[in-house]
Amino acid sequence: MTADSSSPRAAPAAVAAPLLADVDVVVADARSPPAPKTSSDSTATSSLIPPLPEERRINIAFDHIDYRISVGNGKKAVEKHILKDVSLNFRAGKLTVILGASGAGKTSLLNVVAGETKIGKINGNVYLNGQPSSGAEIKKVSGFVHQDDVVLGTMTVLEAITMSAKLRLPHTLSPEDKDQKVQDIIHMLNLEKTQQSVIGTATEKGISGGERKRVCMAMELVTNPPCVFLDEPTSGLDSYTAFAVVQLLRDLAASGRTVIATLHQPSSEIFHLIDDLVIMAQGEVMYYGDAEHSIDYFAREGYPTPQFSNPADHFFMSILNTSEASVQKDARFSAQERIPALLDVWKKSPEHSALLKEIQFPSRTDGITDQSLKYKSRFVDQFPVLFSRAARNAFRNKLIIKAKLGQNIFLGVLMGLIYLNVPGRNFAAQIQDRTGVLFFLAVNQLMGSSMGVLSVFAAEKQVFQREFGAGFYSLPAYFFSKVAVELPFQIIMPWIMISIMYWMIGLQNDVSKYFIATGLTVLMAQCGTAIGMLAACAFNELSVALAIVPVILLPLMLFSGLFVNSDNIPVFLDWIKYISPVKYGFVGMTKNEFTGLQICPKDTDTPALQRAGCKPGEDTITSLGFDNQGSIFLNYMVLLALWVALLIMSYMALWRIVRSAKRVDFAPPSADQLAKAKAAKEAGNELAGVAVEK
Ligand SMILES: Nc1ncnc2c1ncn2[C@@H]1O[C@H](COP(=O)(O)OP(=O)(O)OP(=O)(O)O)[C@@H](O)[C@H]1O
């Protein structure tokens, strides 16, 4: 079995409009059953998909794959053998579909081969065009459409696909060409009518589940990978849309691409679109080969497909069915006997021997060329795209903006009313209320910002992991675009709040002091934002982060100098104040407010206090133990440094997530294998040279 694009079975289905690449070719397929007709029959299959140049085509062969994972912890850990001795050949120009009952190992196989596996141990060999390779290499030349569609819901369909095109198509391609490719893919996946619709979030209903799935496919296909893996691309789709999607996959394959998909219960129409079929059971291959031939194969083994029935249904009901109450009345074996027997039959079949021979003596031995590798965009390309997306995301989350704005205005007015005209209050209240409100300002910004960012960022983390894993962008581009978008919000919101409070309370009537207090408040908000990001990255579960963050913030508040006099903190706990943003914010704001202030007794004060007369605000600074806590400028600078340090820590935490998502891979090929493959490649080149000379 070789990648024979000249055979009638490999002939592509009829397609229309230029797509994916630069060459236009119209091809036709006599084998496809007629598509079900609808009133608006502008299906994906009526598109034209130009062929992939020969040198970009990829055959992925692998033999004797074993995949095991360890389940449970410590002594209770048990090893689970998920894939057992799996050998297959995914051919360029063919749509290969993996069928199997739930738990048969379809997704695991797809993940192992596509380089998406994150846990466990893989044994076996994988070859790209006859050369020893790895999952990581396959990842570089393929797109992967996951079963669960994780995508930022505030984007529109058009924006999501455009973002993928901008980030993953070569920067040498003009913006107009990229837009054209986006439009082509939208047409191809029948998404024209929904292209301006928002994808949808948990709180805002967006496009349907099927459309969402097609958006994820479009985001992968727009990059024109030579190989595409799709996990359950038809789940959740109606039968006609499912047919249209598989027809599209067939067209893609027919154009020279290697397309591998897992499917659940394909209809009869879909079954007849499949080129190569893999049937899996209990982590092993039960059949691999021509889909039509599978009918004869199982008939030969005593499981003929009844006339006029869907072969796929027959396979599921009579062969793969693991229930003891067999559906087939004349079932000769129980599932416990039938499945192992058929797995054994496959291993001894001539089809299996032919497959192993094909893997051993591949039709191509030339490996992959650089043109097959996916394009990696540069930071300068990524940052503007991610920045504008993050900005749109922030503005479209109207509920969050309204909540933030409402919170800052409400608290500003509330605090203004509670502390209204502090200078008109009695002597003790003037001191206590000023320190109290300044402390509240510092704490509120830190807590409010950290909690707000924590929940939003934690929700987005999954999208980041998926997109980063798919190679959309680099970590710095994502991180700095996020920080850059949060920054203005974290300046404007606290500014609104302090502007309301400052003048209502009657803090020092001095514009420069107002701006210093504003600056410190804003810096507190920035530190809070960075703490929120850090917590979101550091903890896997949002609920854990929400429980732990207040516990961490509490000591930072306690040692700020209001609740415990800085001079009286025990030495072994004294260090905490040095890492407390609240302390620097509070000390800075207190010094700013009390320096140059005259606090005078009022008529309501005791005669003794009235006789004592006005006191300088500096006395309060001394009594709080803040004399040796640095100047306002120094506190400002330390706060700035703490913000930067927290950002660096958040970056590291994000980097840790990326690193921990490292993928497990095949063991590197042995020296012997490499030498053999090299010799085969050279021999292949020589033969090619002879052919050219002739
Ligand atoms: N991370 C994991 N931890 C524990 N078991 C796992 C893990 N991954 C896979 N398995 C097990 O391996 C087997 C194959 O799983 P896999 O998801 O590949 O099956 P599948 O054929 O894709 O099933 P489905 O059609 O239901 O998605 C199952 O028994 C599953 O429980």
Side-chain angles (χ1 to χ4, degrees), residues 69 71 80 82 101-108 119 147 232 264:
I69 59 167
V71 186
K80 207 165 175 183
I82 293 183
S102 184
K106 305 179 293 291
T107 305
S108 303
I119 54 165
Q147 190 173 355
E232 304 283 356
H264 249 148

Side-chain angles (χ1 to χ4, degrees), residues 85-359:
D85 195 18
V86 175
S87 301
L88 291 168
N89 187 13
F90 296 148
R91 303 182 291 164
K94 300 287 179 190
L95 165 61
T96 304
V97 164
I98 306 171
L99 291 187
S102 184
K106 305 179 293 291
T107 305
S108 303
L109 174 64
L110 214 59
N111 285 335
V112 164
V113 179
E116 290 283 335
T117 309
K118 295 186 180 107
I119 54 165
K121 195 164 183 296
I122 305 169
N123 278 319
N125 310 299
V126 63
Y127 307 91
L128 282 185
N129 287 341
Q131 292 296 310
S133 193
S134 62
E137 285 294 309
I138 295 174
K139 205 170 157 54
K140 287 185 199 162
V141 295
S142 60
F144 197 109
V145 181
H146 292 263
Q147 190 173 355
D148 50 337
D149 27 60
V150 178
V151 55
L152 200 65
T154 49
M155 289 190 284
T156 65
V157 168
L158 180 64
E159 285 166 359
I161 303 170
T162 306
M163 180 197 75
S164 181
K166 282 187 179 167
L167 291 177
R168 304 201 295 168
L169 284 173
H171 69 271
T172 45
L173 214 62
S174 72
E176 294 74 32
D177 285 346
K178 285 181 185 167
D179 286 344
Q180 186 55 52
K181 283 184 188 299
V182 170
Q183 281 310 318
D184 290 344
I185 214 87
I186 283 177
H187 171 67
M188 181 164 140
L189 283 160
N190 208 6
L191 287 166
E192 285 106 331
K193 286 186 191 139
T194 45
Q195 59 179 308
Q196 299 300 344
S197 307
V198 167
I199 291 168
T201 60
T203 52
E204 190 184 359
K205 170 87 181 88
I207 57 176
S208 73
E211 287 162 346
R212 221 179 142 97
K213 199 163 269 296
R214 279 183 281 152
V215 170
C216 293
M217 283 174 68
M219 288 171 78
E220 283 305 318
L221 295 180
V222 77
T223 64
N224 190 19
C227 175
V228 194
F229 294 93
L230 305 102
D231 195 7
E232 304 283 356
T234 57
S235 69
L237 302 185
D238 62 82
S239 48
Y240 178 66
T241 314
F243 174 83
V245 165
V246 179
Q247 174 81 63
L248 163 74
L249 299 181
R250 174 103 198 282
D251 293 351
L252 274 171
S255 64
R257 288 156 181 94
T258 317
V259 184
I260 305 109
T262 65
L263 290 185
H264 249 148
Q265 301 239 290
S267 65
S268 179
E269 289 81 2
I270 289 178
F271 185 84
H272 291 293
L273 289 176
I274 301 170
D275 291 313
D276 287 348
L277 181 68
V278 178
I279 297 185
M280 293 202 66
Q282 301 174 352
E284 293 183 57
V285 174
M286 187 185 270
Y287 173 81
Y288 165 72
D290 190 287
E292 299 294 341
H293 177 64
S294 64
I295 300 169
D296 297 338
Y297 175 87
F298 285 108
R300 193 176 81 199
E301 299 308 327
Y303 295 90
T305 304
Q307 213 181 358
F308 307 121
S309 68
N310 174 8
D313 282 347
H314 166 66
F315 297 157
F316 277 104
M317 302 293 263
S318 306
I319 297 171
L320 300 171
N321 163 32
T322 51
S323 157
E324 285 313 319
S326 180
V327 181
Q328 234 193 3
K329 287 199 189 89
D330 63 345
R332 290 163 299 153
F333 303 115
S334 70
Q336 272 165 1
E337 293 164 316
R338 181 189 351 112
I339 293 175
L342 283 170
L343 291 172
D344 201 41
V345 164
W346 167 250
K347 287 271 156 62
K348 293 175 182 149
S349 68
E351 287 88 348
H352 182 246
S353 309
L355 167 70
L356 292 184
K357 212 165 164 192
E358 189 181 306
I359 297 171

Side-chain angles (χ1 to χ4, degrees), residues 6 26 35 73 93 103 110 157 231 237 270 297 371 456 502 514 534 537 578 645 674 686 694:
S6 64
V26 183
N73 294 319
L110 214 59
V157 168
D231 195 7
L237 302 185
I270 289 178
Y297 175 87
Q371 291 133 295
V456 173
Y502 195 92
Y514 157 73
L534 175 60
C537 300
Y578 294 112
L674 284 172
E686 273 168 32
K694 274 184 184 169

Side-chain angles (χ1 to χ4, degrees), residues 456-478:
V456 173
F457 197 67
E460 233 185 87
K461 204 166 67 173
Q462 223 193 342
V463 176
F464 160 72
Q465 283 171 291
R466 176 61 57 81
E467 291 177 345
F468 182 87
F472 275 71
Y473 42 71
S474 65
L475 184 54
Y478 175 77

